[in-house]
Amino acid sequence: MQSLTPSNPSFFIAGIPVYGNRILAPMDGYSDQPFRSVVRKLGSAMIYTEFINALEIVWRNKKFARRCLFSETERPVAIQIFDDNPIRLTASAISIVEQFSPDMIDINMGCSVNHVANRGAGAGLLQNPKKVGAIIANLTHELNIPITAKIRLGWDQDSINYLEVGKQIEGNGASMIALHARTKAQMFKGSIDLDAIANLKQTLTIPVLGNGDLTTNAEIENMLSYTKCDAVLIGRIAIKNPWIFAGYDFEEVPLSLYLSTVREHFSAMVDFFGPDRGCVGFRKFAKKYLTNKGIGKAKVRNLLTTADPSLFAEKFETLLQWIEAGNRDYDLE
Ligand SMILES: Cc1cc2nc3c(=O)[nH]c(=O)nc-3n(C[C@H](O)[C@H](O)[C@H](O)COP(=O)(O)O)c2cc1C
């Protein structure tokens, strides 16, 4: 496998060296521990967890605490939390640091989902830059690990304020900022504002990560060179092509690497979640892995509706062998 990991750090987050400039974006429902481990091994230069509701930590909800678990090989690890309440955010961050010892805490200020943003959390915080500053000040005062934040351009086109928010974040002691270069109102629509990433990078001295719509090596290299951002966050395309972290566009991934990664991912899911939840959780990845290799919809559906974990594993392996053998037809019963 080719490697993009340089021998010298690409940048530092408050003294923590980061080797490389491609990083898996946090994705609820996808960037769980097994997927992160696979992607980190392929070359993601650090790790963000899925976002975690601060309330769940304060209430000590075991299911959510599980989302904080990570393996040592994933470091540097940022555990991401969200809330609209500064006191709960700090209390949950302290509790997370005591229980899980991440390398940093990231605050989600970009989630556009209505039930998060409309209550003032996630991108809802962008409507109140002073509150953003107070949240970061509280956290940097109470914790002795780096605090980082992930933001959007602003709430909507009429209230673009990423520079003001960025200055509040840096000015109150945060150590890195990631910008998904769209507004909350845009959700995932419309084009990415590369100039905004470049402006933020020029304005701040802490590392700036650019994010949004990257799907190929060429697009990644363009965002890095055009904006001069320190690294990029890569989200949705990583679900189809985790090998992007090793520098491969999907069509270029060597078959042996494709097969070893996919097998490793499946077995990591079963190890981490157990056979039942592991297979169910793997379905959404299997769908992408297989359809993008030309496996027909009917066969994929047959696999995805298989409830028994051993049978699922057997059918999945059959399809991989089919791909390995050059798409000779097999029937799944
Ligand atoms: C399914 C899904 C879940 C996401 N969950 C999170 C999350 O937990 N925390 C976060 O900061 N962003 C989250 N995001 C946003 C991504 O981190 C990223 O900003 C966005 O997808 C744009 O990058 P992309 O175009 O490379 O996908 C999520 C995005 C998707 C598609």
mmCIF file of all heavy atoms in Angstrom, residues 283-300:
data_model
loop_
_atom_site.group_PDB
_atom_site.id
_atom_site.type_symbol
_atom_site.label_atom_id
_atom_site.label_comp_id
_atom_site.label_asym_id
_atom_site.label_seq_id
_atom_site.Cartn_x
_atom_site.Cartn_y
_atom_site.Cartn_z
ATOM 1 N N ARG A 283 -23.958 -3.179 7.408
ATOM 2 C CA ARG A 283 -24.757 -3.213 6.174
ATOM 3 C C ARG A 283 -24.544 -1.981 5.297
ATOM 4 O O ARG A 283 -24.385 -2.078 4.091
ATOM 5 C CB ARG A 283 -26.251 -3.274 6.522
ATOM 6 C CG ARG A 283 -26.721 -4.634 6.961
ATOM 7 C CD ARG A 283 -28.200 -4.539 7.250
ATOM 8 N NE ARG A 283 -28.653 -5.706 7.996
ATOM 9 C CZ ARG A 283 -29.779 -5.755 8.688
ATOM 10 N NH1 ARG A 283 -30.572 -4.710 8.743
ATOM 11 N NH2 ARG A 283 -30.117 -6.845 9.324
ATOM 12 N N LYS A 284 -24.550 -0.807 5.940
ATOM 13 C CA LYS A 284 -24.464 0.422 5.121
ATOM 14 C C LYS A 284 -23.105 0.542 4.435
ATOM 15 O O LYS A 284 -23.005 1.082 3.336
ATOM 16 C CB LYS A 284 -24.763 1.664 5.969
ATOM 17 C CG LYS A 284 -23.907 1.812 7.217
ATOM 18 C CD LYS A 284 -24.421 2.943 8.095
ATOM 19 C CE LYS A 284 -23.610 3.120 9.359
ATOM 20 N NZ LYS A 284 -23.895 2.145 10.424
ATOM 21 N N PHE A 285 -22.078 0.004 5.078
ATOM 22 C CA PHE A 285 -20.757 0.017 4.435
ATOM 23 C C PHE A 285 -20.717 -1.035 3.330
ATOM 24 O O PHE A 285 -20.224 -0.804 2.231
ATOM 25 C CB PHE A 285 -19.652 -0.280 5.460
ATOM 26 C CG PHE A 285 -19.475 0.785 6.508
ATOM 27 C CD1 PHE A 285 -19.958 0.606 7.785
ATOM 28 C CD2 PHE A 285 -18.818 1.973 6.207
ATOM 29 C CE1 PHE A 285 -19.791 1.587 8.758
ATOM 30 C CE2 PHE A 285 -18.645 2.960 7.157
ATOM 31 C CZ PHE A 285 -19.135 2.761 8.440
ATOM 32 N N ALA A 286 -21.248 -2.233 3.632
ATOM 33 C CA ALA A 286 -21.238 -3.336 2.652
ATOM 34 C C ALA A 286 -21.935 -2.901 1.365
ATOM 35 O O ALA A 286 -21.463 -3.181 0.260
ATOM 36 C CB ALA A 286 -21.925 -4.565 3.243
ATOM 37 N N LYS A 287 -23.039 -2.176 1.540
ATOM 38 C CA LYS A 287 -23.798 -1.715 0.369
ATOM 39 C C LYS A 287 -22.893 -0.876 -0.545
ATOM 40 O O LYS A 287 -22.849 -1.099 -1.758
ATOM 41 C CB LYS A 287 -24.994 -0.894 0.849
ATOM 42 C CG LYS A 287 -25.929 -0.501 -0.232
ATOM 43 C CD LYS A 287 -27.158 0.167 0.350
ATOM 44 C CE LYS A 287 -28.038 0.632 -0.801
ATOM 45 N NZ LYS A 287 -29.073 1.524 -0.365
ATOM 46 N N LYS A 288 -22.160 0.057 0.049
ATOM 47 C CA LYS A 288 -21.266 0.917 -0.754
ATOM 48 C C LYS A 288 -20.126 0.094 -1.350
ATOM 49 O O LYS A 288 -19.789 0.223 -2.523
ATOM 50 C CB LYS A 288 -20.648 2.010 0.122
ATOM 51 C CG LYS A 288 -21.624 3.027 0.614
ATOM 52 C CD LYS A 288 -21.635 4.237 -0.304
ATOM 53 C CE LYS A 288 -22.582 5.292 0.238
ATOM 54 N NZ LYS A 288 -22.847 6.344 -0.704
ATOM 55 N N TYR A 289 -19.491 -0.717 -0.491
ATOM 56 C CA TYR A 289 -18.333 -1.484 -0.954
ATOM 57 C C TYR A 289 -18.695 -2.375 -2.143
ATOM 58 O O TYR A 289 -17.921 -2.524 -3.083
ATOM 59 C CB TYR A 289 -17.783 -2.374 0.169
ATOM 60 C CG TYR A 289 -17.072 -1.646 1.303
ATOM 61 C CD1 TYR A 289 -17.133 -2.142 2.606
ATOM 62 C CD2 TYR A 289 -16.318 -0.500 1.070
ATOM 63 C CE1 TYR A 289 -16.478 -1.498 3.648
ATOM 64 C CE2 TYR A 289 -15.668 0.146 2.110
ATOM 65 C CZ TYR A 289 -15.746 -0.354 3.400
ATOM 66 O OH TYR A 289 -15.100 0.282 4.429
ATOM 67 N N LEU A 290 -19.880 -2.988 -2.082
ATOM 68 C CA LEU A 290 -20.227 -3.981 -3.098
ATOM 69 C C LEU A 290 -20.801 -3.345 -4.355
ATOM 70 O O LEU A 290 -20.407 -3.695 -5.466
ATOM 71 C CB LEU A 290 -21.220 -5.002 -2.523
ATOM 72 C CG LEU A 290 -20.661 -5.851 -1.367
ATOM 73 C CD1 LEU A 290 -21.768 -6.677 -0.736
ATOM 74 C CD2 LEU A 290 -19.521 -6.753 -1.833
ATOM 75 N N THR A 291 -21.742 -2.395 -4.188
ATOM 76 C CA THR A 291 -22.352 -1.815 -5.397
ATOM 77 C C THR A 291 -21.300 -1.076 -6.219
ATOM 78 O O THR A 291 -21.343 -1.098 -7.443
ATOM 79 C CB THR A 291 -23.529 -0.862 -5.070
ATOM 80 O OG1 THR A 291 -23.100 0.015 -4.055
ATOM 81 C CG2 THR A 291 -24.744 -1.601 -4.616
ATOM 82 N N ASN A 292 -20.351 -0.470 -5.536
ATOM 83 C CA ASN A 292 -19.329 0.251 -6.294
ATOM 84 C C ASN A 292 -18.342 -0.677 -6.995
ATOM 85 O O ASN A 292 -17.506 -0.232 -7.783
ATOM 86 C CB ASN A 292 -18.591 1.229 -5.379
ATOM 87 C CG ASN A 292 -19.473 2.428 -5.067
ATOM 88 O OD1 ASN A 292 -20.048 3.025 -5.974
ATOM 89 N ND2 ASN A 292 -19.625 2.746 -3.809
ATOM 90 N N LYS A 293 -18.424 -1.960 -6.674
ATOM 91 C CA LYS A 293 -17.590 -2.937 -7.389
ATOM 92 C C LYS A 293 -18.430 -3.720 -8.387
ATOM 93 O O LYS A 293 -18.051 -4.799 -8.831
ATOM 94 C CB LYS A 293 -16.948 -3.901 -6.387
ATOM 95 C CG LYS A 293 -15.655 -3.364 -5.800
ATOM 96 C CD LYS A 293 -14.535 -3.448 -6.833
ATOM 97 C CE LYS A 293 -13.220 -2.999 -6.275
ATOM 98 N NZ LYS A 293 -12.206 -2.810 -7.330
ATOM 99 N N GLY A 294 -19.623 -3.227 -8.686
ATOM 100 C CA GLY A 294 -20.422 -3.832 -9.747
ATOM 101 C C GLY A 294 -21.313 -4.984 -9.314
ATOM 102 O O GLY A 294 -21.885 -5.668 -10.159
ATOM 103 N N ILE A 295 -21.433 -5.226 -7.993
ATOM 104 C CA ILE A 295 -22.366 -6.282 -7.558
ATOM 105 C C ILE A 295 -23.791 -5.749 -7.733
ATOM 106 O O ILE A 295 -24.099 -4.642 -7.301
ATOM 107 C CB ILE A 295 -22.121 -6.651 -6.075
ATOM 108 C CG1 ILE A 295 -20.673 -7.085 -5.852
ATOM 109 C CG2 ILE A 295 -23.115 -7.713 -5.602
ATOM 110 C CD1 ILE A 295 -20.336 -8.453 -6.324
ATOM 111 N N GLY A 296 -24.634 -6.570 -8.357
ATOM 112 C CA GLY A 296 -25.999 -6.116 -8.685
ATOM 113 C C GLY A 296 -26.845 -5.866 -7.447
ATOM 114 O O GLY A 296 -26.606 -6.438 -6.373
ATOM 115 N N LYS A 297 -27.858 -5.009 -7.633
ATOM 116 C CA LYS A 297 -28.723 -4.605 -6.520
ATOM 117 C C LYS A 297 -29.405 -5.788 -5.840
ATOM 118 O O LYS A 297 -29.542 -5.822 -4.626
ATOM 119 C CB LYS A 297 -29.801 -3.645 -7.031
ATOM 120 C CG LYS A 297 -29.307 -2.229 -7.157
ATOM 121 C CD LYS A 297 -30.478 -1.297 -7.427
ATOM 122 C CE LYS A 297 -29.926 0.109 -7.667
ATOM 123 N NZ LYS A 297 -30.746 0.903 -8.544
ATOM 124 N N ALA A 298 -29.856 -6.760 -6.639
ATOM 125 C CA ALA A 298 -30.603 -7.896 -6.071
ATOM 126 C C ALA A 298 -29.709 -8.687 -5.114
ATOM 127 O O ALA A 298 -30.129 -9.083 -4.022
ATOM 128 C CB ALA A 298 -31.108 -8.783 -7.188
ATOM 129 N N LYS A 299 -28.478 -8.907 -5.520
ATOM 130 C CA LYS A 299 -27.557 -9.679 -4.662
ATOM 131 C C LYS A 299 -27.235 -8.889 -3.392
ATOM 132 O O LYS A 299 -27.163 -9.442 -2.300
ATOM 133 C CB LYS A 299 -26.274 -10.002 -5.411
ATOM 134 C CG LYS A 299 -26.468 -11.071 -6.461
ATOM 135 C CD LYS A 299 -25.121 -11.572 -6.964
ATOM 136 C CE LYS A 299 -25.310 -12.713 -7.950
ATOM 137 N NZ LYS A 299 -26.046 -12.317 -9.170
ATOM 138 N N VAL A 300 -27.046 -7.582 -3.546
ATOM 139 C CA VAL A 300 -26.745 -6.760 -2.368
ATOM 140 C C VAL A 300 -27.950 -6.784 -1.423
ATOM 141 O O VAL A 300 -27.802 -6.958 -0.212
ATOM 142 C CB VAL A 300 -26.365 -5.312 -2.775
ATOM 143 C CG1 VAL A 300 -26.209 -4.424 -1.561
ATOM 144 C CG2 VAL A 300 -25.074 -5.318 -3.591
#
